[in-house]
Amino acid sequence: MKPPILELKNISKHFGAIQALEGIDVQLGQGEVVGLMGDNGAGKSTLVRIIAGNFQPSAGEVILAGERVRFASSAGARQSGIEVVHQDLALCDNLTAADNVFLGRELRRRIGPFSILDYRAMARRAAELFSELQSETRPNDKVRLMSGGQRQAVAIARTRLSDARIVLMDEPTAAISVRQVGTVLDLIKRLRDRGITVVLISHRMPDVFAVADRLVVLRRGRKVADKPIADTTPEEATGLITGAIAVA
Amino acid sequence: MSPMPDTILRVGRFDPAEFAARYAAPLFLLLLIAVFTALEPRFAHPLNVFNILRQVSISGLVAIGMTFVILTKGIDLSVGSLLALSGLVGAYVAKGGLDDRFALGGAATAANPLFLVVLAALAAGMLGGAVQGLAITRLKVPPFVVTLGGLTAFRGAALLFSGGGPISGFSADYAWWGQGRIGMVPVPVVIFLGAALIAHFVLTYTVFGKHVYATGGNERAADLNGVPTRRVVFITYVISGFACGLAGFLLSARLNSAEAVAGSGLELTVIAAVVIGGTSLFGGVGSIVGTVIGALLLGVLTNGLVLLNVSSFIQQIVIGITLVAAVTLDQFAVRRRQAQ
Ligand SMILES: Nc1ncnc2c1ncn2[C@@H]1O[C@H](COP(=O)(O)OP(=O)(O)OP(=O)(O)O)[C@@H](O)[C@H]1O
Ligand SMILES: [Mg+2]
């Protein structure tokens, strides 16, 4: 395995009485693409949000590049080079594409004593990112009026704002066309080639098997499989997800 | 970068409901002005115009604060009571107590300098807003419930604090803030328009303003993207409280009297102004410009109907219908948005 950029040690998370994750150990290698699968409610998004600083784990450690970290918010995780495409994209429909891309890390410029939003710079940068993603998304359009593919481009563009080390994608291909799925998978490969670690959550077996180096399966908050993609099959993965195969 | 098909699509996406929701209020305002001017010569007289503006300025100030709150999908029902309480606190400080509460006329001497009075009124308003903001963001009690409690509790506190009676008769420089003019323009109007400018700037050009819209649009998404949504919501209630404090001070200065019953029912006028101005009760959509127009619209409507000797009962009916029409338009726009 490649040297780990991120290690999760014995991570647990409960919400009141709900035990969402229990004793999760995972290592992510640099430039590795990890497919994270599991049934609805298995805990995938919870795991992603812990890594991304949205949630704090109830127990366990997150170790980033050899150092123990505890992010108080997503801002901290972003500063450490962790970027996320959230499930359902986490967009504000009432804002423009550029506003959404920069949400939570808006560009500002100074006018005298005031620090004001730099709309021009944000629109320019957002336009660059959209064309990089080969998306016909205009920065100043409201997200509310956008197609599924354009919305997704907005969410993905966020991850390209800074030099990410880890990109977490929570069902990025859930609501888009076959052609657009191809674009996302290509992007994942490009990220990997640049040494960026990608975690891909998907319910679509072909996507995971097309790009992932390794497969991790969660079931009811526990890790039941963690193996190279070459050593497994879609059939086995399905069995692990449903519980027909207990553990691998 | 912008290819042809998109341009065509964009034109195809023109939305009449959206257009109506956005421009109905200013168009209706212009229509009212035209009709009243035609029917009643006194209406357009500068004195009457400033009269309208002065009447609008107190509720308009509160409406500016309310706009922040409603943009985050909240509501502040406590504004009228909080206005009364902060006005009394300011008056109390001005008098240095309740002893000569009934002293009349400009001859009254001030026990404390004016800036302390203003500070006390603003602090009372902001404190009231902060307490409610904490209950909403920390204890997760719905804003409607918290501020309904505030509506009752602050009124009770005002009555208790004042012993039921008014505190009246302030120094001349106190009264100037409510009754004076700068050039031709009444002081409260200058403050209202100044506050509107600042609020507009904050909402449009600052990170905080962007976060207000983001929180109202999709709080969960804003949260996931690192927007401190709880802090944002908390601050909007403090802003609303600040507006109540300022308005309470100005009203007491204008009437030369602070009373526990001041601003009764104000919340309805203010929410009406905000909503008529196109700010959505569903959060995330609206503007200060809209609120100013909504407040002016209500002021013009009331003033014009009074000048035309229309009974106050009918006035209430007209205002009620206007309000429902505005919300109906907003609902249409929301449903369109969801259909897309
Ligand atoms: N903020 C929260 N508060 C309470 N319970 C939560 C919260 N977030 C997640 N859960 C619970 O934790 C469990 C795991 O949820 P999670 O969203 O991580 O599942 P998932 O694997 O991403 O599912 P899906 O495939 O449907 O997205 C579920 O039982 C869910 O109800
Ligand atoms: Mg999920």
Side-chain angles (χ1 to χ4, degrees):
Chain A
M1 196 187 125
K2 296 167 187 172
I5 175 89
L6 186 88
E7 274 183 89
L8 302 179
K9 283 195 180 161
N10 203 20
I11 293 282
S12 296
K13 177 73 186 177
H14 55 83
F15 300 99
I18 302 170
Q19 189 76 34
L21 292 172
E22 221 179 320
I24 303 289
D25 291 298
V26 176
Q27 299 197 343
L28 304 179
Q30 190 178 350
E32 188 182 34
V33 180
V34 175
L36 180 57
M37 302 192 81
D39 208 345
N40 294 120
K44 307 179 295 294
S45 297
T46 305
L47 193 64
V48 160
R49 287 176 195 156
I50 285 173
I51 300 172
N54 299 121
F55 293 159
Q56 279 68 51
S58 308
E61 304 184 359
V62 180
I63 295 161
L64 180 67
E67 270 180 56
R68 195 178 162 184
V69 289
R70 205 175 167 86
F71 302 122
S73 73
S74 59
R78 281 168 167 174
Q79 260 153 31
S80 301
I82 298 173
E83 294 284 345
V84 201
V85 179
H86 286 287
Q87 190 165 11
D88 357 289
L89 309 179
L91 300 174
C92 291
D93 278 2
N94 57 328
L95 301 182
T96 66
D99 285 344
N100 267 288
V101 169
F102 285 91
L103 192 56
R105 47 182 152 176
E106 295 78 4
L107 300 182
R108 283 167 294 176
R109 66 196 168 95
R110 296 205 71 84
I111 291 194
F114 303 110
S115 173
I116 70 165
L117 291 168
D118 194 342
Y119 282 109
R120 189 121 42 99
M122 288 192 279
R124 200 180 325 119
R125 184 84 185 98
E128 281 168 20
L129 292 172
F130 295 146
S131 68
E132 204 179 294
L133 294 169
Q134 290 153 23
S135 167
E136 288 168 7
T137 306
R138 281 185 311 266
N140 293 323
D141 279 5
K142 291 259 158 75
V143 165
R144 185 201 317 138
L145 300 173
M146 290 184 175
S147 71
Q150 289 174 318
R151 298 168 65 86
Q152 196 219 24
V154 174
I156 290 184
R158 286 173 176 158
T159 67
R160 315 289 306 125
L161 277 180
S162 59
D163 280 326
R165 291 196 277 182
I166 301 172
V167 176
L168 310 163
M169 297 193 174
D170 196 347
E171 303 198 30
T173 53
I176 52 174
S177 71
V178 178
R179 182 180 69 82
Q180 286 164 333
V181 168
T183 319
V184 173
L185 298 183
D186 285 344
L187 173 71
I188 292 174
K189 288 178 195 157
R190 271 188 285 146
L191 292 174
R192 177 199 57 201
D193 293 345
R194 283 157 49 183
I196 297 168
T197 304
V198 179
V199 175
L200 171 65
I201 295 180
S202 177
H203 291 291
R204 295 164 44 100
M205 213 55 81
D207 297 355
V208 174
F209 276 78
V211 293
D213 303 313
R214 196 150 55 86
L215 176 71
V216 172
V217 179
L218 297 183
R219 193 166 65 237
R220 298 206 188 138
R222 291 173 183 277
K223 189 171 89 168
V224 293
D226 186 344
K227 61 201 291 190
I229 209 89
D231 298 351
T232 184
T233 60
E235 290 71 30
E236 188 188 32
T238 307
L240 286 163
I241 292 165
T242 58
I245 303 172
V247 58
Chain B
M1 193 219 65
S2 176
M4 275 298 287
D6 275 32
T7 322
I8 292 162
L9 265 178
R10 184 181 224 178
V11 174
R13 279 170 187 166
F14 169 78
D15 186 338
E18 190 75 40
F19 180 84
R22 176 173 270 197
Y23 295 109
L27 291 177
F28 189 44
L29 176 60
L30 290 178
L31 180 75
L32 282 180
I33 291 173
V35 169
F36 288 138
T37 308
L39 292 180
E40 176 54 65
R42 281 177 298 166
F43 176 79
H45 193 282
L47 271 182
N48 188 52
V49 170
F50 283 123
N51 195 21
I52 295 175
L53 285 173
R54 201 180 53 196
Q55 267 161 11
V56 161
S57 59
I58 302 282
S59 60
L61 259 179
V62 178
I64 288 170
M66 182 75 79
T67 306
F68 283 83
V69 170
I70 293 183
L71 278 175
T72 64
K73 221 176 191 161
I75 194 83
D76 189 350
L77 300 174
S78 74
V79 288
S81 306
L82 195 49
L83 175 145
L85 182 59
S86 1
L88 280 168
V89 168
Y92 181 91
V93 171
K95 296 272 184 181
L98 290 175
D99 297 340
D100 68 354
R101 60 191 302 166
F102 294 120
L104 290 172
T109 48
N112 284 303
L114 194 59
F115 81 90
L116 271 186
V117 173
V118 178
L119 221 57
L122 293 180
M126 288 164 76
L127 191 67
V131 169
Q132 298 187 106
L134 281 180
I136 289 161
T137 55
R138 295 288 149 179
L139 308 180
K140 310 268 175 219
V141 189
F144 185 91
V145 177
V146 169
T147 61
L148 188 61
L151 172 113
T152 313
F154 294 141
R155 186 70 68 190
L159 286 162
L160 192 70
F161 182 69
S162 69
I167 305 179
S168 37
F170 305 118
S171 62
D173 49 339
Y174 189 126
W176 180 82
W177 288 88
Q179 300 165 8
R181 286 170 186 272
I182 297 174
M184 252 179 87
V185 192
V187 176
V189 175
V190 176
I191 293 176
F192 166 53
L193 295 179
L197 268 178
I198 293 170
H200 174 77
F201 173 83
V202 168
L203 278 179
T204 320
Y205 292 107
T206 69
V207 171
F208 171 74
K210 192 57 69 189
H211 287 179
V212 166
Y213 282 99
T215 302
N218 187 344
E219 181 164 0
R220 220 183 66 90
D223 222 9
L224 284 174
N225 284 291
V227 173
T229 52
R230 282 203 286 191
R231 195 194 314 160
V232 169
V233 170
F234 171 77
I235 293 174
T236 63
Y237 287 92
V238 176
I239 292 175
S240 181
F242 177 92
C244 293
L246 190 54
F249 165 70
L250 294 177
L251 185 65
S252 69
R254 188 172 112 208
L255 303 177
N256 202 20
S257 173
E259 301 183 40
V261 294
S264 300
L266 181 71
E267 60 284 349
L268 296 181
T269 318
V270 166
I271 293 168
V274 174
V275 171
I276 289 172
T279 295
S280 169
L281 286 170
F282 303 96
V285 178
S287 68
I288 294 296
V289 176
T291 294
V292 171
I293 289 171
L296 286 177
L297 198 153
L298 284 181
V300 165
L301 196 58
T302 313
N303 177 276
L305 293 176
V306 168
L307 287 183
L308 291 174
N309 283 321
V310 175
S311 105
S312 70
F313 305 149
I314 295 182
Q315 288 176 35
Q316 290 181 24
I317 295 174
V318 172
I319 289 174
I321 291 175
T322 310
L323 176 65
V324 174
V327 177
T328 308
L329 277 174
D330 181 39
Q331 283 273 26
F332 267 127
V334 168
R335 238 172 288 146
R336 285 300 178 86
R337 276 172 220 152
Q338 281 161 354
Q340 262 152 3

